[in-house]
Amino acid sequence: MLMLLSLILTVSGLTNPARAQTSASISGMVKDSKGEGLPGVSVRVKNTNMVVQTSGNGAYRITVPNRQAVLVFSYIGFLPLERSVANTTEINITLREDAQSLEDVVVVGYVTQEKREITGSIGSIKADQIDQFSGGSLNTSLQGKISGLQITTNSGEPGAGANITLRGASSINGASQPLFIIDGIPVDNDSYQSLNDGASFSPLNDINPSDIASIEVLKDAATASIYGSRASNGVIIITTKKGLSGDPRINFSLNSSATELTRKVATLNAVQFRNAYIESIFNSTGALTTKVSVIDSLNPIYRESYNWQDIMYRQAFQNKMDISVSGASKEKTVDYYVSAGYRDLKPVVIQTNYDQIFGSARVNYKITSAIKGSTNFNLSNYAYNRQDNNIISRYLGTLPVFSPYDPISGEIIPLFEGSKVNPLAQALYANNEIKRWRLLGKQELSFTIAKGLSFRTNASLDYSNTNSYYFAPPILSTNSSSKSVFSDYRPELRTSFTNENLLTYKLKVKKNHNFDFLLGQSYQLYKSTSTYVRGIDNIDNQITSINGSSKIISFNQSEQENLLVSFFTKANYNYKSRYLFSLLVRQDASSRFGENNRTAYFPAVSAGWRFSDEQFGKKLSWLSEGKLRASYGITGNQSIGNYAAQGSISRGGTYLNQTALLADGLANPDLRWENTRQLDVGMDLSFLKGRVNITTDYYIKNTDDLLFDVQIPTQTGYSSLPFNFGSIGNKGFEFAIDGTILQKGLTWNAAVTFGLNRNTVKELPDNQDYRPNAFNLARIGEAVGVFYGYKALGVYSRDEDNVYTSADGTVSQYKMGSSTGAVYKGGDVIYEDLNGDGIINIDDQQIIGNPTPKSFGGIQNTFGYKGFQLSFFINYVFGNDVFNNLIRGIDGSHFDTNYSTNQLRRWRQQGDVTDIPRLVKGDPMQNYAVSSRFLEDGSFVRLQNIALGYNIPGKLVKKFAASTANIGISVQNLLTFGSYTGYDPEVSTGSNPLGFGVDNGAFPKTRSFNFSLNVRF
């Protein structure tokens, strides 16, 4: 951190050019519409070579030859302005943003392209739309802002992983995450897992949001096919900030937040729990319970009532600081951007803390007139002391009669009743930590060979080192003979090296015919090493590392690698920028696939028509831009195991005192890519000189050759074979509109995104259902991952309400499991008898819900008036179901746990009419089986952010040697409107499309109250 700060100050000092002083001069200030000084604005004397640039606060001074001179003020992203000198010596101006030029260049994969000439579907957000509050991330920044892009964060933990789906799920067993490109580096975006509880963390958390300049989302095949076998789920391109011309600019920002839980899950108090527990034991055994903590309410340890959520959650404070310096040499041969950042995040769960340091540098330089280079790196290092994901359900399930402290001695009680771990003691005494650092680095050189012809080569490295630790002292052990529960250690190294070589050629023929050609080659080598060690019986509780273990009881090490070699070419043609055509093809060869299918081709073609440039379009004064476009192409998915096609061998005990090796996986040399074919038709419209912009898209996307482990006869010695079989279809509609509603005095900008997608499984092996877990299912004709279980129709009010009439008119009662099974009685759940045989068993399970939303999007509004800015962003999701397995787990547990307040409505006696069944310890009638009882509407509308900012007047700022300053307050996750009864409707503890929408009790999301200060020097 100190080294980076020193570098920033050093660069600032070395590159601060002296300002020329002259007696015959014109001076002044150049500001934007918000009143902030604009650095680097070109101030030129018209029709001469005399030019200067504004300083860091927007000031300038220039010599003019005479009083007839005209000054031309120009700056990228703003409309140029001219002013006559006449008799004045001071000219102050305000430049207006050019809505069209701000958006005219977009990163589209290996190259940039003018937005008006793009024939594919691309979504984009800029730096000012990226969350900058202390706990902000890329995932939260993108939510609701790109039509067709759905992001569901897995939990509220810092750096938590997310399910990112673009235009629907495209795979079942393979990955459904988009490919991420950061400054041209294809990064490893596989989430990494915590020890023991399987929580996932996003590698995108290693990028400082403050360093990001723009994010482009390549949605259709015409734009994504250039990345071939990794692009079936779309491509997200992140571009970080670079140096701007002019004097060095130092930017400092401070963000401080107070966070709190948005809601609590309603659970029973001590009195309510005692009544419910006594009833559950009596309904099970016919006798009263002898459990001391339940019947002895006068015991000092058990006489109070505790809400364990009040004990385990807290209001927390978070801070984030960033500093950067950017600028360029006077000769414009070097520009630079250097930054450092630090954030201290204290989550709402007690005894957790997250510290992270960021560093980045980007330098572009001109070596000769024909040779340019760039060097950039991004560095992240963090340490996270956390709690297990399953501790959330432990809080809710801990009995409200349990006191965390001994009421007499005041000491913490480690074990309740000698066998149940006190969650507070676990939080205080156990050590659960993740330490990680990551480096993204890239070196690039470009050569101008001839007019329009250039060559570019680069080498990049993505390196991460993640170390996970877990230690539990003997005070938490339920086994008196063990000195400690266990000590775990897992180091994991991931390295990705990429080399790319690109040849580009631009040709203009007779002024109207424009050609762009790209020829490229890419080489990417990925390696990973992971070691897992478990030890027991630590020598000393102060030594929590694996070195302190007396005995190593488990040791595993895995080393893997894969190689991807690619060649690609692309050609663009346009006539007068009116008729647009693009053709590309990529060839990929991957080591992951069978030798018979190691190479695949991914072509795409697209076309566009800018009808606004036609004669009839030019006559429409209200139409600024109008374009129709269409594309079709093929992309792939190579996200399978590195050795799935080669078979596998594992260690299997000993044979003749030698280590035995067992062949446990069958090779398939014909294994190949999943491939996705996509058709996209869209239209882009701009009205009123760019004040209103509309983008619409309709797409059809089909994925074939799904990767499955197909069951084979066990006589072969194997149970399954990796195979390509199956298909998924997606089709949908996207709509986005943004506009400047008011632009004089009071300003008002608004944006709306909307997306809907319909997903269908079209083909499966042997046309059979595929069920990977207890909740979700893949079935032909249905959406991927639909919920599957029993359909609950209510609760029997009386024993005699259970009446079953067979096809032959025989009257009997519904039974559980078989014809000789137990009869359902009053208080039991009424399950639908799907096949009408009078028996409730797995044959009666059916599709009961769908975790895929029918529509989703966002609404953004920003207002400005005399230095004040007010903005709010609304995120919405409609039409999806959430399976509340958290409530099912505590209410239906076979163990001694507290219950939700749903149990206040439980059936207690004959004649009760309710939707909650009777409480019976052990649940012998499976009233808590997976069923529609636990499905809830996951729709919500969330006021995700509301912010108020103020630009401090320049005269006041100058007193502190600054050029501009802004202060602001905001609230993140202020209000959520929906009917879900869990912590948050935006939840999915599974990362596979066949596991979406299940709430197992993830780390809850929080509300944060934020203060920000941004100063430019």
Side-chain angles (χ1 to χ4, degrees):
M1 181 73 172
L2 293 175
M3 292 178 63
L4 285 169
L5 289 174
S6 299
L7 178 60
I8 289 173
L9 296 175
T10 301
V11 173
S12 175
L14 291 176
T15 57
N16 188 11
R19 297 182 177 87
Q21 301 293 326
T22 178
S23 57
S25 66
I26 304 297
S27 62
M29 294 286 296
V30 181
K31 298 181 179 181
D32 62 14
S33 58
K34 298 178 182 179
E36 296 184 0
L38 286 174
V41 176
S42 174
V43 184
R44 180 185 297 275
V45 179
K46 192 173 183 179
N47 298 324
T48 73
N49 294 324
M50 303 173 65
V51 61
V52 298
Q53 291 184 334
T54 57
S55 64
N57 63 353
Y60 73 93
R61 184 180 297 273
I62 187 171
T63 300
V64 296
N66 52 60
R67 289 294 175 179
Q68 288 72 43
V70 175
L71 296 183
V72 180
F73 300 84
S74 59
Y75 192 54
I76 295 175
F78 290 79
L79 295 171
L81 192 64
E82 295 186 3
R83 283 288 185 270
S84 298
V85 171
N87 295 321
T88 186
T89 58
E90 182 178 355
I91 298 178
N92 299 313
I93 68 164
T94 298
L95 291 182
R96 301 292 179 184
E97 292 182 348
D98 184 349
Q100 181 174 350
S101 66
L102 280 174
E103 304 286 344
D104 62 0
V105 176
V106 177
V107 181
V108 293
Y110 298 109
V111 295
T112 59
Q113 192 173 0
E114 290 188 20
K115 187 174 181 180
R116 66 176 186 170
E117 295 179 358
I118 292 175
T119 52
S121 179
I122 297 178
S124 179
I125 67 172
K126 301 302 179 184
D128 59 355
Q129 296 175 274
I130 296 171
D131 291 342
Q132 299 296 345
F133 67 98
S134 303
S137 68
L138 291 182
N139 293 330
T140 58
S141 297
L142 287 168
Q143 280 184 316
K145 296 174 183 174
I146 302 292
S147 60
L149 181 67
Q150 185 189 6
I151 298 179
T152 303
T153 53
N154 293 337
S155 81
E157 280 196 272
N163 295 326
I164 304 175
T165 306
L166 181 61
R167 293 186 167 181
S170 299
S171 183
I172 289 181
N173 283 326
S176 284
Q177 302 276 35
L179 170 66
F180 282 84
I181 307 292
I182 300 177
D183 288 334
I185 305 172
V187 300
D188 171 23
N189 64 325
D190 289 337
S191 295
Y192 52 97
Q193 307 296 316
S194 63
L195 276 172
N196 304 318
D197 63 342
S200 65
F201 296 89
S202 172
L204 298 179
N205 192 53
D206 299 322
I207 303 298
N208 188 351
S210 299
D211 288 334
I212 297 175
S214 67
I215 301 176
E216 273 78 35
V217 179
L218 312 185
K219 298 191 283 187
D220 70 329
T223 53
S225 287
I226 196 70
Y227 292 104
S229 63
R230 299 166 293 177
S232 65
N233 301 303
V235 180
I236 297 180
I237 299 177
I238 299 170
T239 303
T240 59
K241 295 176 181 177
K242 64 179 182 179
L244 299 175
S245 59
D247 292 344
R249 274 148 285 174
I250 299 176
N251 289 276
F252 172 78
S253 66
L254 169 67
N255 293 271
S256 295
S257 305
T259 63
E260 64 182 17
L261 203 64
T262 57
R263 66 163 70 171
K264 295 176 182 176
V265 174
T267 55
L268 301 184
N269 62 32
V271 173
Q272 296 165 340
F273 165 74
R274 284 190 169 97
N275 292 333
Y277 187 84
I278 291 170
E279 186 179 317
S280 72
I281 296 298
F282 185 82
N283 288 340
S284 176
T285 65
L288 296 176
T289 182
T290 59
K291 189 177 181 67
V292 175
S293 60
V294 174
I295 62 178
D296 189 2
S297 60
L298 299 179
N299 189 314
I301 297 179
Y302 307 126
R303 68 185 177 191
E304 302 295 336
S305 181
Y306 298 92
N307 185 331
W308 277 82
Q309 293 174 91
D310 294 335
I311 297 172
M312 303 304 293
Y313 294 121
R314 64 184 177 184
Q315 186 180 60
F317 298 93
Q318 304 179 343
N319 294 285
K320 182 175 185 287
M321 292 177 287
D322 293 286
I323 186 170
S324 67
V325 60
S326 63
S329 64
K330 187 176 181 179
E331 298 78 15
K332 297 184 181 181
T333 56
V334 177
D335 67 72
Y336 55 89
Y337 174 88
V338 184
S339 73
Y342 170 73
R343 61 179 175 180
D344 172 20
L345 308 182
K346 289 179 172 58
V348 293
V349 175
I350 65 169
Q351 295 299 118
T352 57
N353 190 68
Y354 184 99
D355 288 290
Q356 187 169 18
I357 296 173
F358 298 104
S360 75
R362 182 170 181 174
V363 182
N364 301 309
Y365 41 89
K366 183 184 292 185
I367 302 173
T368 70
S369 59
I371 304 175
K372 297 179 181 179
S374 68
T375 304
N376 64 279
F377 74 82
N378 288 276
L379 177 67
S380 167
N381 182 288
Y382 79 75
Y384 179 25
N385 289 291
R386 60 184 299 271
Q387 300 292 330
D388 287 347
N389 239 358
N390 54 24
I391 206 170
I392 306 300
S393 58
R394 282 192 205 144
Y395 299 165
L396 296 180
T398 299
L399 304 190
V401 299
F402 286 157
S403 170
Y405 298 95
D406 188 310
I408 298 175
S409 67
E411 295 182 356
I412 194 167
I413 301 173
L415 299 175
F416 297 133
E417 300 179 329
S419 60
K420 299 178 181 65
V421 176
N422 179 349
L424 180 59
Q426 180 177 346
L428 292 172
Y429 299 139
N431 179 44
N432 189 349
E433 187 175 17
I434 298 175
K435 293 182 178 180
R436 173 179 169 91
W437 77 272
R438 188 180 189 185
L439 172 67
L440 291 175
K442 181 181 177 182
Q443 176 63 55
E444 182 171 281
L445 290 173
S446 62
F447 304 85
T448 300
I449 302 172
K451 182 180 179 180
L453 180 64
S454 63
F455 173 74
R456 190 165 85 241
T457 182
N458 65 65
S460 61
L461 177 69
D462 180 1
Y463 176 83
S464 66
N465 183 348
T466 308
N467 292 275
S468 303
Y469 311 84
Y470 185 86
F471 170 76
I475 195 173
L476 301 178
S477 176
T478 58
N479 183 357
S480 60
S481 64
S482 177
K483 295 180 182 178
S484 69
V485 178
F486 53 82
S487 180
D488 282 352
Y489 172 57
R490 185 183 65 198
E492 183 177 8
L493 301 177
R494 298 182 183 180
T495 304
S496 177
F497 171 78
T498 305
N499 169 245
E500 294 173 333
N501 297 283
L502 309 168
L503 188 67
T504 59
Y505 182 54
K506 293 186 176 183
L507 176 66
K508 182 184 289 286
V509 178
K510 296 182 179 179
K511 296 184 180 181
N512 295 325
H513 301 275
N514 301 286
F515 298 87
D516 291 338
F517 300 97
L518 168 68
L519 181 64
Q521 172 268 329
S522 175
Y523 170 97
Q524 184 174 15
L525 176 64
Y526 172 87
K527 293 184 177 182
S528 68
T529 301
S530 178
T531 304
Y532 172 75
V533 185
R534 169 168 287 188
I536 61 172
D537 300 342
N538 274 49
I539 300 170
D540 190 314
N541 292 334
Q542 301 303 313
I543 305 175
T544 61
S545 68
I546 195 70
N547 295 335
S549 299
S550 298
K551 184 188 298 183
I552 301 298
I553 63 172
S554 180
F555 179 90
N556 290 290
Q557 188 172 40
S558 171
E559 294 186 3
Q560 299 190 40
E561 68 178 27
N562 69 72
L563 176 64
L564 182 67
V565 178
S566 310
F567 297 90
F568 47 90
T569 185
K570 182 178 182 179
N572 295 325
Y573 165 75
N574 74 72
Y575 175 72
K576 292 184 176 181
S577 294
R578 184 186 306 169
Y579 307 110
L580 316 167
F581 302 93
S582 181
L583 177 67
L584 70 88
V585 63
R586 177 170 176 132
Q587 179 202 63
D588 279 344
S590 173
S591 64
R592 287 178 167 176
F593 293 95
E595 59 185 2
N596 296 338
N597 286 295
R598 190 146 288 168
T599 301
Y601 295 88
F602 303 96
V605 61
S606 60
W609 174 39
R610 294 185 58 248
F611 57 85
S612 54
D613 272 14
E614 300 288 357
Q615 288 301 317
F616 71 86
K618 293 178 180 179
K619 294 179 182 179
L620 303 175
S621 60
W622 46 267
L623 180 64
S624 306
E625 176 73 22
K627 179 172 62 179
L628 288 173
R629 49 184 168 74
S631 67
Y632 178 81
I634 302 174
T635 53
N637 187 353
Q638 65 150 4
S639 297
I640 63 169
N642 290 320
Y643 308 107
Q646 301 178 29
S648 59
I649 297 175
S650 64
R651 188 178 65 181
T654 60
Y655 179 74
L656 298 178
N657 296 322
Q658 300 293 322
T659 299
L661 297 178
L662 300 178
D664 58 3
L666 193 60
N668 181 2
D670 295 318
L671 198 66
R672 61 185 180 274
W673 278 277
E674 296 181 347
N675 64 82
T676 299
R677 293 173 168 82
Q678 184 174 183
L679 171 69
D680 182 280
V681 178
M683 180 167 60
D684 301 321
L685 297 172
S686 182
F687 307 102
L688 305 176
K689 298 182 179 180
R691 288 183 60 182
V692 180
N693 304 284
I694 296 175
T695 297
T696 62
D697 282 275
Y698 175 77
Y699 61 87
I700 300 175
K701 185 171 74 167
N702 294 305
T703 302
D704 300 313
D705 294 331
L706 297 180
L707 295 161
F708 276 97
D709 285 329
V710 179
Q711 301 300 310
I712 60 176
T714 55
Q715 292 88 338
T716 61
Y718 303 90
S719 59
S720 63
L721 172 69
F723 203 75
N724 295 94
F725 197 100
S727 63
I728 295 175
N730 288 277
K731 59 182 179 180
F733 172 75
E734 298 165 357
F735 175 83
I737 180 172
D738 66 83
T740 302
I741 301 173
L742 299 175
Q743 61 180 0
K744 293 183 179 180
L746 174 67
T747 62
W748 179 12
N749 295 286
V752 177
T753 64
F754 171 83
L756 61 84
N757 182 79
R758 298 295 179 262
N759 177 281
T760 307
V761 178
K762 294 188 171 184
E763 189 177 15
L764 291 171
D766 298 324
N767 295 326
Q768 297 296 309
D769 293 346
Y770 180 68
R771 191 174 188 184
N773 57 51
F775 310 102
N776 304 91
L777 176 83
R779 172 177 289 176
I780 294 176
E782 302 290 343
V784 174
V786 290
F787 291 118
Y788 193 74
Y790 297 104
K791 184 177 181 180
L793 304 177
V795 172
Y796 289 110
S797 178
R798 299 179 180 273
D799 293 347
E800 54 267 29
D801 290 341
N802 180 5
V803 178
Y804 165 67
T805 303
S806 64
D808 62 3
T810 303
V811 178
S812 60
Q813 293 179 301
Y814 289 100
K815 298 178 181 179
M816 184 188 73
S818 67
S819 59
T820 59
V823 174
Y824 290 99
K825 298 181 179 180
D828 290 329
V829 175
I830 305 171
Y831 291 124
E832 183 176 26
D833 182 15
L834 193 63
N835 59 7
D837 63 356
I839 300 169
I840 304 300
N841 55 24
I842 59 173
D843 294 333
D844 299 304
Q845 293 183 347
Q846 56 186 294
I847 294 172
I848 55 176
N850 189 350
T852 304
K854 294 180 179 178
S855 63
F856 53 91
I859 302 171
Q860 174 77 47
N861 280 275
T862 304
F863 302 89
Y865 183 72
K866 292 186 177 180
F868 288 92
Q869 303 91 39
L870 174 66
S871 66
F872 65 87
F873 178 70
I874 295 173
N875 181 30
Y876 64 87
V877 174
F878 290 125
N880 64 302
D881 297 312
V882 175
F883 191 90
N884 196 337
N885 201 43
L886 177 62
I887 296 301
R888 172 177 172 262
I890 62 173
D891 280 0
S893 174
H894 292 196
F895 305 100
D896 294 344
T897 64
N898 195 11
Y899 306 105
S900 75
T901 53
N902 290 342
Q903 294 303 327
L904 298 177
R905 307 196 312 271
R906 69 185 180 275
W907 187 97
R908 303 186 189 188
Q909 60 185 2
Q910 298 290 325
D912 282 352
V913 177
T914 180
D915 61 336
I916 303 298
R918 59 188 178 133
L919 265 179
V920 185
K921 185 66 180 295
D923 191 26
M925 297 304 293
Q926 298 185 15
N927 290 318
Y928 286 85
V930 175
S931 74
S932 58
R933 282 210 310 122
F934 305 101
L935 275 185
E936 300 186 39
D937 185 1
S939 303
F940 67 87
V941 175
R942 172 173 290 149
L943 181 53
Q944 188 156 312
N945 180 269
I946 181 169
L948 176 65
Y950 177 64
N951 295 321
I952 300 174
K955 292 182 180 179
L956 180 59
V957 171
K958 289 179 181 178
K959 293 181 179 180
F960 299 94
S963 59
T964 63
N966 175 278
I967 58 173
I969 55 174
S970 66
V971 184
Q972 189 76 9
N973 198 10
L974 178 60
L975 296 170
T976 301
F977 302 94
S979 61
Y980 185 64
T981 59
Y983 282 116
D984 194 282
E986 184 199 327
V987 64
S988 182
T989 46
S991 58
N992 185 285
L994 281 175
F996 288 176
V998 179
D999 183 359
N1000 286 318
F1003 198 106
K1005 297 178 179 65
T1006 57
R1007 178 186 297 115
S1008 66
F1009 300 88
N1010 316 299
F1011 167 80
S1012 65
L1013 171 66
N1014 297 278
V1015 183
R1016 178 191 295 170
F1017 298 93

